[in-house]
Short mmCIF file of all heavy atoms in Angstrom, two decimals:
data_model
loop_
_atom_site.label_atom_id
_atom_site.label_comp_id
_atom_site.label_asym_id
_atom_site.label_seq_id
_atom_site.Cartn_x
_atom_site.Cartn_y
_atom_site.Cartn_z
N VAL A 162 -4.71 -6.01 22.48
CA VAL A 162 -5.77 -5.02 22.58
C VAL A 162 -5.13 -3.63 22.66
O VAL A 162 -4.37 -3.35 23.60
CB VAL A 162 -6.65 -5.26 23.83
CG1 VAL A 162 -7.73 -4.19 23.95
CG2 VAL A 162 -7.28 -6.65 23.76
N PRO A 163 -5.39 -2.76 21.69
CA PRO A 163 -4.72 -1.44 21.69
C PRO A 163 -5.25 -0.56 22.80
O PRO A 163 -6.42 -0.69 23.21
CB PRO A 163 -5.06 -0.87 20.31
CG PRO A 163 -6.36 -1.54 19.93
CD PRO A 163 -6.28 -2.92 20.53
N PRO A 164 -4.45 0.37 23.29
CA PRO A 164 -4.93 1.29 24.34
C PRO A 164 -5.95 2.25 23.77
O PRO A 164 -5.99 2.49 22.55
CB PRO A 164 -3.65 2.02 24.76
CG PRO A 164 -2.75 1.93 23.58
CD PRO A 164 -3.05 0.61 22.92
N PRO A 165 -6.80 2.82 24.61
CA PRO A 165 -7.79 3.78 24.13
C PRO A 165 -7.10 4.97 23.46
O PRO A 165 -5.99 5.36 23.82
CB PRO A 165 -8.52 4.21 25.41
CG PRO A 165 -8.25 3.11 26.39
CD PRO A 165 -6.89 2.59 26.06
N GLY A 166 -7.80 5.54 22.48
CA GLY A 166 -7.25 6.69 21.78
C GLY A 166 -8.35 7.69 21.43
O GLY A 166 -9.46 7.59 21.98
N PRO A 167 -8.09 8.59 20.52
CA PRO A 167 -9.08 9.61 20.15
C PRO A 167 -10.37 8.97 19.63
O PRO A 167 -10.35 7.96 18.91
CB PRO A 167 -8.37 10.40 19.05
CG PRO A 167 -6.92 10.14 19.26
CD PRO A 167 -6.83 8.76 19.79
N ALA A 168 -11.48 9.54 19.98
CA ALA A 168 -12.78 9.05 19.52
C ALA A 168 -12.85 9.09 18.00
O ALA A 168 -12.32 10.00 17.36
CB ALA A 168 -13.91 9.89 20.12
N GLY A 169 -13.50 8.07 17.42
CA GLY A 169 -13.65 8.01 15.97
C GLY A 169 -12.55 7.25 15.27
O GLY A 169 -12.67 6.94 14.08
N LEU A 170 -11.48 6.93 16.00
CA LEU A 170 -10.37 6.21 15.38
C LEU A 170 -10.23 4.79 15.90
O LEU A 170 -9.27 4.09 15.56
CB LEU A 170 -9.05 6.98 15.60
CG LEU A 170 -8.96 8.37 14.98
CD1 LEU A 170 -7.63 9.02 15.35
CD2 LEU A 170 -9.09 8.27 13.46
N ASN A 171 -11.19 4.36 16.72
CA ASN A 171 -11.07 3.05 17.34
C ASN A 171 -10.97 1.91 16.32
O ASN A 171 -10.16 0.99 16.47
CB ASN A 171 -12.25 2.80 18.28
CG ASN A 171 -12.11 1.49 19.05
OD1 ASN A 171 -11.10 1.28 19.72
ND2 ASN A 171 -13.10 0.62 18.94
N GLU A 172 -11.81 1.98 15.25
CA GLU A 172 -11.79 0.91 14.26
C GLU A 172 -10.43 0.79 13.59
O GLU A 172 -9.95 -0.32 13.34
CB GLU A 172 -12.88 1.15 13.20
CG GLU A 172 -14.29 0.88 13.67
CD GLU A 172 -14.89 2.03 14.45
OE1 GLU A 172 -14.22 3.09 14.57
OE2 GLU A 172 -16.01 1.88 14.97
N TRP A 173 -9.81 1.91 13.31
CA TRP A 173 -8.49 1.86 12.66
C TRP A 173 -7.43 1.32 13.61
O TRP A 173 -6.48 0.64 13.18
CB TRP A 173 -8.11 3.23 12.13
CG TRP A 173 -9.06 3.67 11.06
CD1 TRP A 173 -10.00 4.65 11.13
CD2 TRP A 173 -9.20 3.08 9.76
NE1 TRP A 173 -10.72 4.72 9.97
CE2 TRP A 173 -10.25 3.78 9.11
CE3 TRP A 173 -8.56 2.04 9.08
CZ2 TRP A 173 -10.65 3.46 7.81
CZ3 TRP A 173 -8.95 1.72 7.81
CH2 TRP A 173 -9.99 2.43 7.17
N ARG A 174 -7.57 1.56 14.90
CA ARG A 174 -6.65 0.96 15.87
C ARG A 174 -6.81 -0.56 15.89
O ARG A 174 -5.84 -1.30 15.98
CB ARG A 174 -6.87 1.55 17.26
CG ARG A 174 -6.46 3.01 17.39
CD ARG A 174 -6.34 3.44 18.86
NE ARG A 174 -7.61 3.34 19.54
CZ ARG A 174 -8.54 4.28 19.57
NH1 ARG A 174 -8.33 5.42 18.90
NH2 ARG A 174 -9.66 4.13 20.24
N LEU A 175 -8.07 -1.02 15.80
CA LEU A 175 -8.31 -2.46 15.77
C LEU A 175 -7.71 -3.08 14.50
O LEU A 175 -7.10 -4.16 14.56
CB LEU A 175 -9.82 -2.74 15.81
CG LEU A 175 -10.57 -2.31 17.08
CD1 LEU A 175 -12.06 -2.58 16.93
CD2 LEU A 175 -10.02 -3.05 18.30
N ILE A 176 -7.90 -2.42 13.36
CA ILE A 176 -7.34 -2.91 12.11
C ILE A 176 -5.83 -3.02 12.20
O ILE A 176 -5.23 -4.03 11.80
CB ILE A 176 -7.76 -2.00 10.94
CG1 ILE A 176 -9.25 -2.17 10.63
CG2 ILE A 176 -6.92 -2.28 9.69
CD1 ILE A 176 -9.80 -1.14 9.66
N ARG A 177 -5.20 -1.98 12.73
CA ARG A 177 -3.74 -1.97 12.80
C ARG A 177 -3.22 -3.06 13.73
O ARG A 177 -2.22 -3.74 13.41
CB ARG A 177 -3.27 -0.59 13.27
CG ARG A 177 -1.76 -0.43 13.29
CD ARG A 177 -1.17 -0.65 11.91
NE ARG A 177 0.29 -0.63 11.94
CZ ARG A 177 1.06 -1.17 11.00
NH1 ARG A 177 0.51 -1.77 9.96
NH2 ARG A 177 2.37 -1.10 11.09
N ALA A 178 -3.86 -3.25 14.87
CA ALA A 178 -3.43 -4.29 15.80
C ALA A 178 -3.57 -5.68 15.17
O ALA A 178 -2.70 -6.54 15.32
CB ALA A 178 -4.24 -4.20 17.09
N THR A 179 -4.67 -5.90 14.47
CA THR A 179 -4.88 -7.19 13.81
C THR A 179 -3.84 -7.40 12.71
O THR A 179 -3.27 -8.49 12.56
CB THR A 179 -6.29 -7.28 13.22
OG1 THR A 179 -7.26 -7.07 14.24
CG2 THR A 179 -6.54 -8.63 12.56
N GLU A 180 -3.59 -6.34 11.95
CA GLU A 180 -2.62 -6.45 10.84
C GLU A 180 -1.23 -6.79 11.35
O GLU A 180 -0.52 -7.63 10.78
CB GLU A 180 -2.60 -5.14 10.07
CG GLU A 180 -1.67 -5.17 8.87
CD GLU A 180 -1.71 -3.86 8.08
OE1 GLU A 180 -2.72 -3.12 8.19
OE2 GLU A 180 -0.74 -3.59 7.35
N THR A 181 -0.82 -6.16 12.45
CA THR A 181 0.51 -6.41 13.01
C THR A 181 0.67 -7.87 13.40
O THR A 181 1.65 -8.53 13.05
CB THR A 181 0.75 -5.50 14.22
OG1 THR A 181 0.70 -4.13 13.81
CG2 THR A 181 2.09 -5.79 14.87
N ARG A 182 -0.32 -8.38 14.13
CA ARG A 182 -0.24 -9.78 14.59
C ARG A 182 -0.38 -10.74 13.42
O ARG A 182 0.31 -11.78 13.36
CB ARG A 182 -1.35 -10.03 15.61
CG ARG A 182 -1.25 -11.40 16.28
CD ARG A 182 -0.17 -11.41 17.32
NE ARG A 182 -0.22 -12.64 18.12
CZ ARG A 182 0.66 -13.64 18.00
NH1 ARG A 182 1.65 -13.55 17.12
NH2 ARG A 182 0.56 -14.72 18.75
N LEU A 183 -1.22 -10.40 12.45
CA LEU A 183 -1.42 -11.27 11.30
C LEU A 183 -0.14 -11.40 10.48
O LEU A 183 0.22 -12.50 10.04
CB LEU A 183 -2.56 -10.73 10.42
CG LEU A 183 -2.83 -11.48 9.11
CD1 LEU A 183 -3.17 -12.93 9.36
CD2 LEU A 183 -3.96 -10.80 8.34
N GLU A 184 0.55 -10.30 10.26
CA GLU A 184 1.78 -10.37 9.47
C GLU A 184 2.83 -11.22 10.18
O GLU A 184 3.54 -12.02 9.55
CB GLU A 184 2.32 -8.98 9.18
CG GLU A 184 3.55 -9.04 8.29
CD GLU A 184 3.88 -7.72 7.62
OE1 GLU A 184 3.10 -6.76 7.75
OE2 GLU A 184 4.90 -7.66 6.90
N GLN A 185 2.92 -11.08 11.51
CA GLN A 185 3.85 -11.93 12.26
C GLN A 185 3.55 -13.40 12.04
O GLN A 185 4.44 -14.21 11.75
CB GLN A 185 3.76 -11.60 13.75
CG GLN A 185 4.26 -10.23 14.16
CD GLN A 185 3.93 -9.91 15.61
OE1 GLN A 185 3.17 -10.63 16.28
NE2 GLN A 185 4.49 -8.82 16.13
N LEU A 186 2.28 -13.76 12.17
CA LEU A 186 1.89 -15.16 12.02
C LEU A 186 2.06 -15.66 10.59
O LEU A 186 2.53 -16.78 10.37
CB LEU A 186 0.43 -15.34 12.45
CG LEU A 186 0.14 -15.34 13.95
CD1 LEU A 186 -1.35 -15.39 14.20
CD2 LEU A 186 0.82 -16.53 14.62
N ALA A 187 1.68 -14.83 9.62
CA ALA A 187 1.78 -15.26 8.23
C ALA A 187 3.24 -15.49 7.82
O ALA A 187 3.53 -16.44 7.08
CB ALA A 187 1.13 -14.22 7.33
N ARG A 188 4.13 -14.67 8.30
CA ARG A 188 5.56 -14.86 7.99
C ARG A 188 6.08 -16.13 8.65
O ARG A 188 6.91 -16.84 8.09
CB ARG A 188 6.38 -13.65 8.43
CG ARG A 188 6.15 -12.41 7.59
CD ARG A 188 7.07 -11.27 7.98
NE ARG A 188 6.82 -10.07 7.19
CZ ARG A 188 7.28 -9.86 5.96
NH1 ARG A 188 8.04 -10.77 5.38
NH2 ARG A 188 7.00 -8.74 5.31
N GLU A 189 5.57 -16.43 9.84
CA GLU A 189 6.02 -17.60 10.58
C GLU A 189 5.40 -18.90 10.01
O GLU A 189 6.09 -19.92 9.83
CB GLU A 189 5.63 -17.45 12.05
CG GLU A 189 5.90 -18.68 12.90
CD GLU A 189 5.31 -18.54 14.30
OE1 GLU A 189 5.04 -17.39 14.72
OE2 GLU A 189 5.12 -19.58 14.97
N LEU A 190 4.12 -18.86 9.71
CA LEU A 190 3.39 -20.08 9.34
C LEU A 190 3.36 -20.36 7.84
O LEU A 190 3.13 -21.49 7.43
CB LEU A 190 1.95 -20.00 9.86
CG LEU A 190 1.79 -19.85 11.37
CD1 LEU A 190 0.34 -19.55 11.73
CD2 LEU A 190 2.27 -21.11 12.09
N ARG A 191 3.55 -19.32 7.02
CA ARG A 191 3.50 -19.44 5.56
C ARG A 191 2.25 -20.20 5.09
O ARG A 191 2.32 -21.25 4.46
CB ARG A 191 4.75 -20.13 5.02
CG ARG A 191 6.06 -19.48 5.43
CD ARG A 191 6.13 -18.01 5.09
NE ARG A 191 5.97 -17.75 3.65
CZ ARG A 191 5.96 -16.54 3.11
NH1 ARG A 191 6.06 -15.45 3.88
NH2 ARG A 191 5.80 -16.39 1.82
N PRO A 192 1.08 -19.66 5.38
CA PRO A 192 -0.14 -20.34 4.95
C PRO A 192 -0.31 -20.28 3.44
O PRO A 192 0.22 -19.41 2.76
CB PRO A 192 -1.24 -19.54 5.66
CG PRO A 192 -0.67 -18.17 5.77
CD PRO A 192 0.81 -18.38 6.05
N ASP A 193 -1.11 -21.22 2.90
CA ASP A 193 -1.45 -21.21 1.47
C ASP A 193 -2.54 -20.18 1.18
O ASP A 193 -2.60 -19.64 0.08
CB ASP A 193 -1.91 -22.59 1.05
CG ASP A 193 -0.83 -23.64 1.22
OD1 ASP A 193 0.23 -23.49 0.60
OD2 ASP A 193 -1.04 -24.58 2.00
N VAL A 194 -3.41 -19.96 2.17
CA VAL A 194 -4.54 -19.05 2.01
C VAL A 194 -4.76 -18.31 3.33
O VAL A 194 -4.67 -18.92 4.41
CB VAL A 194 -5.83 -19.81 1.64
CG1 VAL A 194 -7.02 -18.85 1.58
CG2 VAL A 194 -5.67 -20.54 0.30
N ILE A 195 -5.02 -17.00 3.26
CA ILE A 195 -5.53 -16.26 4.41
C ILE A 195 -7.04 -16.14 4.26
O ILE A 195 -7.53 -15.67 3.24
CB ILE A 195 -4.89 -14.85 4.50
CG1 ILE A 195 -3.38 -14.96 4.73
CG2 ILE A 195 -5.53 -14.04 5.64
CD1 ILE A 195 -2.66 -13.62 4.72
N HIS A 196 -7.76 -16.59 5.27
CA HIS A 196 -9.22 -16.66 5.22
C HIS A 196 -9.76 -15.71 6.29
O HIS A 196 -9.79 -16.04 7.49
CB HIS A 196 -9.68 -18.10 5.48
CG HIS A 196 -11.15 -18.32 5.32
ND1 HIS A 196 -11.65 -19.50 4.81
CD2 HIS A 196 -12.23 -17.56 5.62
CE1 HIS A 196 -12.98 -19.44 4.79
NE2 HIS A 196 -13.34 -18.27 5.30
#
C-alpha cells in the first residue's frame, strides 16, 4: 500500500505499486497468461 501523496495522483500511485509487485511475480512464476 503506497504512502499518501499529492491529491489527484492516488490512482497512479496504485498503478505503480501494482506494476512493481506484478513484475516481481511474473518474473518469478513465468505465467503463460496475465489475466
